[in-house]
mmCIF file of all heavy atoms in Angstrom:
data_model
loop_
_atom_site.group_PDB
_atom_site.id
_atom_site.type_symbol
_atom_site.label_atom_id
_atom_site.label_comp_id
_atom_site.label_asym_id
_atom_site.label_seq_id
_atom_site.Cartn_x
_atom_site.Cartn_y
_atom_site.Cartn_z
ATOM 1 N N GLN W 334 47.402 13.741 12.209
ATOM 2 C CA GLN W 334 46.668 14.770 11.570
ATOM 3 C C GLN W 334 45.524 15.236 12.418
ATOM 4 O O GLN W 334 44.794 14.523 12.897
ATOM 5 C CB GLN W 334 46.265 14.345 10.287
ATOM 6 C CG GLN W 334 45.633 15.307 9.307
ATOM 7 C CD GLN W 334 45.117 14.818 8.057
ATOM 8 O OE1 GLN W 334 44.879 13.615 7.859
ATOM 9 N NE2 GLN W 334 45.132 15.691 7.060
ATOM 10 N N ASP W 335 45.515 16.571 12.477
ATOM 11 C CA ASP W 335 44.370 17.282 13.263
ATOM 12 C C ASP W 335 43.017 16.968 12.484
ATOM 13 O O ASP W 335 42.956 17.276 11.265
ATOM 14 C CB ASP W 335 44.603 18.654 13.332
ATOM 15 C CG ASP W 335 43.572 19.510 14.112
ATOM 16 O OD1 ASP W 335 42.671 18.769 14.688
ATOM 17 O OD2 ASP W 335 43.632 20.640 14.103
ATOM 18 N N ILE W 336 42.057 16.302 13.142
ATOM 19 C CA ILE W 336 40.810 16.012 12.494
ATOM 20 C C ILE W 336 39.883 17.184 12.339
ATOM 21 O O ILE W 336 38.931 17.120 11.657
ATOM 22 C CB ILE W 336 40.058 14.782 13.151
ATOM 23 C CG1 ILE W 336 39.664 15.259 14.491
ATOM 24 C CG2 ILE W 336 41.054 13.648 13.316
ATOM 25 C CD1 ILE W 336 38.612 14.191 15.140
ATOM 26 N N PHE W 337 40.041 18.332 13.176
ATOM 27 C CA PHE W 337 39.333 19.381 12.978
ATOM 28 C C PHE W 337 39.896 20.390 11.883
ATOM 29 O O PHE W 337 39.276 21.477 11.739
ATOM 30 C CB PHE W 337 39.096 20.062 14.189
ATOM 31 C CG PHE W 337 38.426 19.262 15.340
ATOM 32 C CD1 PHE W 337 39.027 18.744 16.367
ATOM 33 C CD2 PHE W 337 37.144 18.670 15.036
ATOM 34 C CE1 PHE W 337 38.415 17.973 17.335
ATOM 35 C CE2 PHE W 337 36.415 17.941 15.903
ATOM 36 C CZ PHE W 337 37.083 17.476 17.023
ATOM 37 N N ASP W 338 41.022 20.033 11.244
ATOM 38 C CA ASP W 338 41.546 20.886 10.276
ATOM 39 C C ASP W 338 40.616 21.077 9.171
ATOM 40 O O ASP W 338 39.941 20.236 8.741
ATOM 41 C CB ASP W 338 42.851 20.086 9.712
ATOM 42 C CG ASP W 338 43.682 20.998 8.826
ATOM 43 O OD1 ASP W 338 43.157 22.065 8.467
ATOM 44 O OD2 ASP W 338 44.784 20.527 8.472
ATOM 45 N N ARG W 339 40.468 22.483 8.769
ATOM 46 C CA ARG W 339 39.510 22.765 7.780
ATOM 47 C C ARG W 339 39.853 22.081 6.418
ATOM 48 O O ARG W 339 38.990 21.774 5.647
ATOM 49 C CB ARG W 339 39.588 24.253 7.543
ATOM 50 C CG ARG W 339 38.570 24.928 8.280
ATOM 51 C CD ARG W 339 38.625 26.536 8.091
ATOM 52 N NE ARG W 339 38.363 27.159 9.484
ATOM 53 C CZ ARG W 339 37.131 27.246 9.933
ATOM 54 N NH1 ARG W 339 36.191 26.780 9.208
ATOM 55 N NH2 ARG W 339 36.842 27.874 11.033
ATOM 56 N N ALA W 340 41.096 21.850 6.214
ATOM 57 C CA ALA W 340 41.491 21.194 4.876
ATOM 58 C C ALA W 340 41.098 19.687 4.887
ATOM 59 O O ALA W 340 41.126 19.155 3.802
ATOM 60 C CB ALA W 340 42.936 21.376 4.655
ATOM 61 N N LEU W 341 40.758 19.231 6.075
ATOM 62 C CA LEU W 341 40.557 17.728 6.069
ATOM 63 C C LEU W 341 39.127 17.455 5.639
ATOM 64 O O LEU W 341 38.150 18.046 6.165
ATOM 65 C CB LEU W 341 40.809 17.177 7.478
ATOM 66 C CG LEU W 341 40.508 15.642 7.653
ATOM 67 C CD1 LEU W 341 41.755 14.884 7.869
ATOM 68 C CD2 LEU W 341 39.478 15.611 8.768
ATOM 69 N N ASP W 342 38.821 16.567 4.834
ATOM 70 C CA ASP W 342 37.593 16.159 4.292
ATOM 71 C C ASP W 342 37.007 15.135 5.327
ATOM 72 O O ASP W 342 37.710 14.045 5.487
ATOM 73 C CB ASP W 342 37.621 15.606 2.900
ATOM 74 C CG ASP W 342 36.181 15.425 2.396
ATOM 75 O OD1 ASP W 342 35.233 15.428 3.180
ATOM 76 O OD2 ASP W 342 36.078 14.960 1.258
ATOM 77 N N VAL W 343 36.021 15.287 5.971
ATOM 78 C CA VAL W 343 35.509 14.438 7.015
ATOM 79 C C VAL W 343 35.185 13.111 6.460
ATOM 80 O O VAL W 343 35.241 12.048 7.168
ATOM 81 C CB VAL W 343 34.217 15.044 7.848
ATOM 82 C CG1 VAL W 343 33.023 15.195 6.860
ATOM 83 C CG2 VAL W 343 33.903 14.172 8.983
ATOM 84 N N VAL W 344 34.773 13.006 5.186
ATOM 85 C CA VAL W 344 34.545 11.755 4.526
ATOM 86 C C VAL W 344 35.827 10.822 4.589
ATOM 87 O O VAL W 344 35.745 9.671 4.736
ATOM 88 C CB VAL W 344 34.127 12.029 3.010
ATOM 89 C CG1 VAL W 344 34.123 10.705 2.335
ATOM 90 C CG2 VAL W 344 32.719 12.600 3.226
ATOM 91 N N HIS W 345 36.962 11.566 4.322
ATOM 92 C CA HIS W 345 38.294 10.703 4.335
ATOM 93 C C HIS W 345 38.607 10.229 5.783
ATOM 94 O O HIS W 345 39.053 9.195 5.977
ATOM 95 C CB HIS W 345 39.363 11.598 3.861
ATOM 96 C CG HIS W 345 39.269 11.766 2.345
ATOM 97 N ND1 HIS W 345 39.716 12.878 1.695
ATOM 98 C CD2 HIS W 345 38.708 10.957 1.366
ATOM 99 C CE1 HIS W 345 39.445 12.783 0.322
ATOM 100 N NE2 HIS W 345 38.738 11.641 0.181
ATOM 101 N N LEU W 346 38.250 11.289 6.766
ATOM 102 C CA LEU W 346 38.541 10.691 8.037
ATOM 103 C C LEU W 346 37.786 9.538 8.426
ATOM 104 O O LEU W 346 38.356 8.550 9.020
ATOM 105 C CB LEU W 346 38.172 11.953 8.947
ATOM 106 C CG LEU W 346 38.126 11.516 10.622
ATOM 107 C CD1 LEU W 346 39.502 11.372 11.158
ATOM 108 C CD2 LEU W 346 37.471 12.547 11.491
ATOM 109 N N ARG W 347 36.556 9.558 8.044
ATOM 110 C CA ARG W 347 35.612 8.271 8.382
ATOM 111 C C ARG W 347 36.081 7.178 7.729
ATOM 112 O O ARG W 347 35.855 6.126 8.122
ATOM 113 C CB ARG W 347 34.139 8.663 8.207
ATOM 114 C CG ARG W 347 33.734 9.736 9.137
ATOM 115 C CD ARG W 347 32.251 10.040 8.899
ATOM 116 N NE ARG W 347 31.785 11.038 9.795
ATOM 117 C CZ ARG W 347 30.944 11.978 9.527
ATOM 118 N NH1 ARG W 347 30.337 11.778 8.348
ATOM 119 N NH2 ARG W 347 30.631 13.035 10.284
ATOM 120 N N ALA W 348 36.705 7.356 6.574
ATOM 121 C CA ALA W 348 37.278 6.156 5.849
ATOM 122 C C ALA W 348 38.484 5.593 6.592
ATOM 123 O O ALA W 348 38.717 4.416 6.499
ATOM 124 C CB ALA W 348 37.662 6.516 4.349
ATOM 125 N N ARG W 349 39.099 6.457 7.278
ATOM 126 C CA ARG W 349 40.328 6.007 8.213
ATOM 127 C C ARG W 349 39.892 5.604 9.485
ATOM 128 O O ARG W 349 40.716 4.801 10.255
ATOM 129 C CB ARG W 349 41.273 7.063 8.223
ATOM 130 C CG ARG W 349 42.047 7.264 6.923
ATOM 131 C CD ARG W 349 42.764 8.565 6.924
ATOM 132 N NE ARG W 349 43.647 8.769 8.174
ATOM 133 C CZ ARG W 349 44.118 9.806 8.603
ATOM 134 N NH1 ARG W 349 43.791 11.001 7.967
ATOM 135 N NH2 ARG W 349 44.923 9.851 9.618
ATOM 136 N N VAL W 350 38.831 6.020 10.048
ATOM 137 C CA VAL W 350 38.337 5.730 11.413
ATOM 138 C C VAL W 350 37.010 5.103 11.253
ATOM 139 O O VAL W 350 35.964 5.802 11.181
ATOM 140 C CB VAL W 350 38.367 6.934 12.288
ATOM 141 C CG1 VAL W 350 37.932 6.503 13.661
ATOM 142 C CG2 VAL W 350 39.623 7.656 12.242
ATOM 143 N N GLY W 351 36.930 3.731 11.035
ATOM 144 C CA GLY W 351 35.676 3.078 10.966
ATOM 145 C C GLY W 351 34.860 2.904 12.150
ATOM 146 O O GLY W 351 35.401 3.176 13.329
#
Side-chain angles (χ1 to χ4, degrees):
Chain W
Q334 188 181 22
D335 180 8
I336 67 166
F337 297 115
D338 190 347
R339 269 173 213 287
L341 177 112
D342 187 351
V343 66
V344 168
H345 290 149
L346 171 68
R347 289 185 189 147
R349 285 167 52 202
V350 184

